[in-house]
């Protein structure tokens, strides 16, 4: 189907998850064949892309055979049965290591499967392996991985976004048709934007955090990634829903996101009110990103949506609040890495005390960004500074949430660019933490407020030919709106350009 | 806003149990200062009467039935330990030499 997907059966690796599921279901191919095609593709291109930290070829083939047997017996487990997936290495798996991109957890294997993984397995989804990420999900480029950066398939000198750059790159490199990410400040949506893929941060509490290694517990949320809106919707329905193992899980029916995606694909947005966030644009935003965004908004108008400008005056302070709240929670959560119960231990020579071993281990096991955030959080939570920093940040969080509530009185969804620039070059921002943090400027408000948010590709930036993302934000538990509007926009975009965005991704050199 | 000194970074590193190097003290002092400068705006934004939000979902008292459920076996719990002894986690000494 597409010439970009060589190395592995190109016809199979070029297909979407829903297309693959249909072919498997119809008996035109098997899950084993599809899985092997993707494993071959990974073997061919991952030496260059480095999307994966661990590939479980044997386990994947075994799971694929299980899916094929279930289908033969007349019982496909779900609409995605037999379809392969790439899993971010922050969700625990009992049969593969979970490193979180950190030396602290090198070779650590969890004694249990995260709820997301349990649900994937129950649905017959085939887990190919674990994808690279910024250490403990802290970063916007995947350069903070202790195991080396992932490269963006659109330009291998550039980052694939972060923290979930392995998952987004795996999709854009046709190594997997589906992926799981986690989004604390934009780690699903920003990588999706810069790789031309679709990523969704569901409503906070919509997907269980049980077995998701915690970074910032009040913000962390796992979600679906795919190359199409429909694929993300199908995956969303597999992983979402109440889980007694997560006390913050919402006990309510899962929004009907697949039905919404199908409805949206019909292309009628009459009666839908779309708000353009006034504060997200202008200075600091790349011109090609702004052009692409304006064109996307015009497209929504053409589809019948009523577009208005909406002011969310506190969104500009969301980044500041986030970089106090997230490090504070991180400093507390990462205290569990104490060199006593699991993970790395350094310097235990018989003479050193527990405290010394703990300090040496944490120094050796954590990378610079993680240390920076732990210390920032320790500072923000310390006596004398707590009110001025953490306390004030929590108040800003209230104001951001109120901005959303006021906006959703006027409109059904809000839109903005997902991130101010296209993919930056590897190494460009590593020395300047604040420049790196700006990549999450537009995505952070939805983490603070806990509402649902999606990035869907809006084309390529004129000046560098790199992908741009359109962010769509919906109220809590109205995730279905993202999918309806995202699918309508995607269909119109593809019709206008005569193909999907990823048809234009450069061909990767295949290792021989 | 306060500037973070090298000594303060050393104190924070101690609290956070990070045996940072001398070079890191210099780097982190500058960077933490920059970051705190940038985020200090939160002080000017929110008025006294704004309530804080600690969590996006207003849940309270999530209970479950008080019934015994299976947990990790001792072998599973100890499987990832850096050191074990007599079916327990082995830790370095806790008390100082003088104690």
């Amino acid at each position: 189907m597409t010439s970009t997907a060589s190395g592995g059966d190109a016809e199979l690796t070029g297909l979407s998850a829903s297309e693959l599921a249909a072919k498997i279901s119809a008996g035109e191919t098997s899950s084993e064949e599809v899985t092997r095609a993707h494993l071959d593709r990974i073997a061919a291109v991952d030496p260059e892309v480095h999307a994966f930290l661990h590939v479980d070829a044997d386990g994947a083939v075994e799971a694929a055979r299980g899916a094929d047997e279930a289908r033969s017996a007349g019982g496909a487990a779900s609409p995605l049965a037999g379809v392969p997936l790439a899993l971010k290495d922050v969700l625990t798996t009992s049969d593969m290591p979970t490193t979180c991109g950190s030396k602290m957890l090198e070779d650590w294997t969890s004694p249990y499967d995260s709820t997301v993984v349990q649900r994937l397995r129950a649905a017959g989804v085939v887990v190919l392996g674990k994808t690279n990420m910024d250490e403990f999900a802290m970063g916007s480029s995947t350069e903070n991985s202790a195991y080396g950066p992932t490269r963006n398939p659109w330009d291998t000198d550039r980052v694939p976004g972060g923290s979930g750059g392995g998952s987004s790159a795996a999709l854009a490199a046709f190594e997997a048709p589906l992926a799981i990410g986690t989004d604390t400040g934009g780690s699903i949506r920003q990588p999706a934007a810069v790789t031309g893929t679709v990523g969704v941060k569901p409503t906070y509490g919509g997907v269980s955090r049980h077995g998701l290694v915690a970074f910032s517990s009040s913000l962390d949320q796992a979600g679906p990634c795919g190359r199409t809106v429909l694929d993300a919707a199908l995956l969303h329905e597999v992983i979402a829903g109440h889980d007694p193992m997560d006390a913050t899980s919402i006990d309510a029916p899962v929004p009907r996101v697949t039905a919404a995606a199908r409805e949206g694909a019909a292309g009628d947005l009459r009666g839908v009110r779309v708000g353009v966030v006034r504060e997200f644009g202008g200075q600091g935003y790349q011109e090609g990103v702004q052009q692409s965004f304006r064109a996307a908004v015009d497209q929504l108008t053409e589809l019948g949506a009523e577009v208005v400008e909406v002011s969310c005056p506190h969104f500009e302070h969301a980044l500041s609040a986030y970089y106090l709240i997230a490090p504070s929670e991180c400093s507390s959560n990462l205290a569990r890495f104490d060199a006593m119960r699991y993970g790395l231990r350094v310097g235990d020579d018989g003479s050193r005390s527990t405290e010394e071993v703990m300090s040496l281990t944490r120094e050796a096991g954590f990378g610079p960004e993680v240390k920076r955030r732990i210390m920032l959080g320790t500072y923000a939570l310390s006596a004398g500074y707590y009110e001025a920093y953490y306390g004030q940040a929590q108040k800003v969080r209230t104001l951001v949430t109120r901005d959303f509530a006021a906006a959703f009185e006027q409109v059904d969804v809000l839109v903005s660019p997902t991130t101010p620039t296209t993919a930056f070059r590897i190494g460009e921002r590593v020395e300047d933490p604040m420049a790196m943090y700006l990549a999450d400027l537009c995505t952070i408000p939805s983490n603070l407020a806990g509402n649902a948010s999606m990035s869907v590709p809006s084309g390529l930036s004129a000046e560098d030919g790199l992908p741009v993302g359109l962010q769509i934000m919906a109220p809590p538990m109205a995730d279905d709106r993202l999918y309806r509007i995202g699918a309508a926009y995607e269909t119109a975009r593809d019709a206008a350009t005569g193909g999907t965005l990823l048809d234009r991704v450069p061909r990767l050199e295949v290792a021989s | 806003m306060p500037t973070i000194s090298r000594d303060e970074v050393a104190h924070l590193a101690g609290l956070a149990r990070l045996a940072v190097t001398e070079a890191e003290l210099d780097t982190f002092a500058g960077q933490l200062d920059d970051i705190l400068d940038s985020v200090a705006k939160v002080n000017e934004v929110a008025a006294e009467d704004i309530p804080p939000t600690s969590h996006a979902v207003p849940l309270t008292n999530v209970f479950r039935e008080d019934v015994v459920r299976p947990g990790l076996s001792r072998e599973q719990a100890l499987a990832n330990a850096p050191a074990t002894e007599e079916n327990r986690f082995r830790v370095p000494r806790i008390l100082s030499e003088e104690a």
Side-chain angles (χ1 to χ4, degrees), chain A residues 103-117:
Chain A
K103 291 288 178 196
M104 189 60 91
L105 287 176
E106 194 166 15
D107 301 325
W108 179 73
T109 298
S110 168
Y112 66 96
D113 279 339
S114 51
T115 297
V116 165
V117 169

Side-chain angles (χ1 to χ4, degrees), chain A residues 108-109 204 339-342 345 348 351 354 359 362-363 371-372 375 379 388-389 392 394-395 397-398, chain B residues 1 16-17 19-20 24 28 31 36 42-43 46 48 50-51 53-55 57 80-82 89-90 92-93:
Chain A
W108 179 73
T109 298
Y204 181 88
M340 300 300 135
R341 295 159 298 156
Y342 48 80
R345 178 182 284 185
D348 184 15
S351 74
T354 288
S359 300
R362 288 163 62 80
E363 169 66 11
K371 289 182 209 172
R372 202 150 40 227
M375 287 197 280
Y379 180 82
Y389 288 104
Q392 285 298 118
Q394 287 187 309
K395 289 182 177 184
R397 189 171 185 180
T398 304
Chain B
M1 293 311 291
R17 304 287 184 267
V20 295
E24 279 180 312
F28 285 137
Q31 289 173 338
L36 284 168
V42 295
N43 269 302
E48 278 285 302
I50 305 294
T53 297
S54 61
H55 210 270
V57 181
N80 280 299
F89 294 104
R90 188 185 67 71
R93 66 182 166 79

Side-chain angles (χ1 to χ4, degrees), chain A residues 108-109 111 204 218 247-248 314 317 320-321 323-324 339-343 345 348 351-359 362-363 366 368 371-372 374-376 378-379 385 388-389 392 394-399 402 433-434 437 449-450, chain B residues 1-2 4 8-9 12-13 15-21 24 28 31-32 34-36 38-43 45-48 50-57 59 62 69 72 76-77 80-83 89-94 97:
Chain A
W108 179 73
T109 298
Y204 181 88
S218 81
T248 58
H314 300 97
H317 304 295
S320 298
Y323 276 100
L324 291 165
M340 300 300 135
R341 295 159 298 156
Y342 48 80
R345 178 182 284 185
D348 184 15
S351 74
R352 292 195 175 97
S353 69
T354 288
E355 192 176 320
E356 286 167 327
V357 169
M358 209 179 273
S359 300
R362 288 163 62 80
E363 169 66 11
F366 291 140
K371 289 182 209 172
R372 202 150 40 227
I374 287 174
M375 287 197 280
L376 190 58
T378 304
Y379 180 82
Y385 298 111
Y389 288 104
Q392 285 298 118
Q394 287 187 309
K395 289 182 177 184
V396 173
R397 189 171 185 180
T398 304
L399 294 172
R402 287 180 181 176
M434 275 316 297
Y437 296 173
Chain B
M1 293 311 291
I4 287 211
E8 278 180 288
V9 175
L12 289 173
L15 291 174
R17 304 287 184 267
L18 291 166
V20 295
T21 63
E24 279 180 312
F28 285 137
Q31 289 173 338
L32 292 179
D34 284 351
I35 296 167
L36 284 168
S38 305
V39 302
K41 286 194 268 317
V42 295
N43 269 302
V45 181
E48 278 285 302
I50 305 294
T53 297
S54 61
H55 210 270
V57 181
L59 292 168
V62 177
R69 295 182 304 184
L72 295 182
Q76 286 176 311
N80 280 299
F89 294 104
R90 188 185 67 71
V91 303
R93 66 182 166 79
I94 292 167
E97 303 281 3

